[in-house]
Structure formats: structure tokens, C-alpha cells
Amino acid sequence: NGTVLLWDIKTGITQKITGTKDKIIIDACCIDDSTFIFAREKTKNLINLYNIQTNTTHKLTAHNADVEQIAFLPNSKQLISNSEDGTIIIWDVQTQQIAKRFKIIADNFAITPDGTTLVISNEKQIALINLTTNKQQILTTHSTIDNDYMTNMVFNADGTLLATHKSSDENEEAKIQIWDMQTHMLKTTIQA
């Protein structure tokens, strides 16, 4: 019904309800201090950033196509988004301004727990972007694969390992690959 609910996980009671006038919500997340929550609307190039304490909404609108994924950086001061327009934007949460913009196609991304490295995947490669220096490095390249090669990526708690997940298709089983982030080498592959 186009609403975002903020739940108290100890009591199970809804603390706050923020409506978006019957628009479909795709993603929602709350940062550590419970100050902001964000939601991406379906088939839109904007991100709604809600301030829970003041009950105000800010629209972030720098993408030129649908926003595909959004997440807060671990510092809780920045928000990252990628879009079908081939850009990744890092937003300053307080000012709602663009802090950085990368021209790179990303089907999905993950952020190291310390917030220093962004890993992106697309149909050609998995690449690492150092968010301090903006330096890009290829972790691995793909040969002939479809657009949905990596369906999920996640780091372990200390950021030393990256797990990538590829869904099964007609020609290949699903698999999980574990990467060593210090050596940037593949450690193991698990067929699922």
C-alpha cells in the first residue's frame, strides 16, 4: 500500500508509518542512530530520504534512469545508489548533495564493513573501487554470461572475505564463490 513501517524489534510495535501516496516501495533501510530511513520507489529515478525525527522527506534525484540498489555506508553519513543510467552516486545524508559520482555499470554492489571499498558486478566483471582514492581494480572478468550473473554479494564481518552468488540457469548450476580480499584470489567455489 505504499507505506514504510518502522518497527520496535523488542516490542514488535510499529513506531512510525510514512506513506508515499500509493507508490510501490522496493527497498527500505534504517541507519544505526535511527535518524533516517530511505525507500526507493518502483520504476523511478529518485530516492526518498525520510528524517524520522522531524518527519520530513528529501527527494534525491540525480540519476537519469531507474535506481537499482541503495545502501548506507557504514559511517551512516553517506548513502550509495546505482542506476540503469550507468552511474553510482554517493550522497551526503545531511546535505542531500552528491559527494561522489562514478561512471560505471553495476548490476549490484557491496561495501566493505569499514566503508573503504565498493565492489560492483556487471555482465563483464567484478571490480573493486577504493572510495578514498577512487582507484578501480578488476577482481575478475566474465566470459560470455548474462546480465544476471551475480545475484548477490556480501562481505564477512571483518571484510577479509567476499562471497558472490550466481543463480542457476539452463546451462549451469548455482554457485557461491569465496574471494580472499587481501590477495584478491578465489579461495573456493561451492556448487549449489
Side-chain angles (χ1 to χ4, degrees), residues 9-33:
I9 59 172
K10 291 181 181 176
T11 65
I13 297 171
T14 304
Q15 282 186 318
K16 196 75 171 181
I17 302 174
T18 307
T20 58
K21 300 179 182 175
D22 299 325
K23 294 179 181 174
I24 298 171
I25 302 300
I26 302 299
D27 291 323
C29 184
C30 193
I31 59 176
D32 293 338
D33 66 1

Side-chain angles (χ1 to χ4, degrees), residues 147-160:
N147 290 338
D148 297 323
Y149 182 75
M150 291 300 159
T151 54
N152 197 15
M153 298 186 298
V154 65
F155 286 96
N156 67 338
D158 63 7
T160 58

Side-chain angles (χ1 to χ4, degrees), residues 80 86-90 100-105 118 129-131 134-136:
I80 187 166
T87 63
I88 293 175
I89 295 177
I90 298 178
K100 291 184 181 184
R101 184 192 305 254
F102 299 97
K103 184 71 178 161
I104 189 167
I105 295 171
L118 174 70
I129 302 172
N130 182 308
L131 295 179
N134 300 336
K135 182 181 175 184
Q136 298 181 26

Side-chain angles (χ1 to χ4, degrees), residues 81-151:
S81 60
N82 74 315
S83 168
E84 292 177 1
D85 65 7
T87 63
I88 293 175
I89 295 177
I90 298 178
W91 305 85
D92 182 290
V93 171
Q94 294 296 327
T95 66
Q96 294 89 47
Q97 299 297 313
I98 295 172
K100 291 184 181 184
R101 184 192 305 254
F102 299 97
K103 184 71 178 161
I104 189 167
I105 295 171
D107 294 325
N108 57 57
F109 65 81
I111 306 159
T112 53
D114 64 4
T116 60
T117 304
L118 174 70
V119 61
I120 65 101
S121 75
N122 57 40
E123 63 183 18
K124 295 180 181 177
Q125 64 191 5
I126 298 175
L128 307 171
I129 302 172
N130 182 308
L131 295 179
T132 304
T133 65
N134 300 336
K135 182 181 175 184
Q136 298 181 26
Q137 180 180 2
I138 295 172
L139 181 64
T140 186
T141 57
H142 310 307
S143 50
T144 53
I145 55 175
D146 58 36
N147 290 338
D148 297 323
Y149 182 75
M150 291 300 159
T151 54

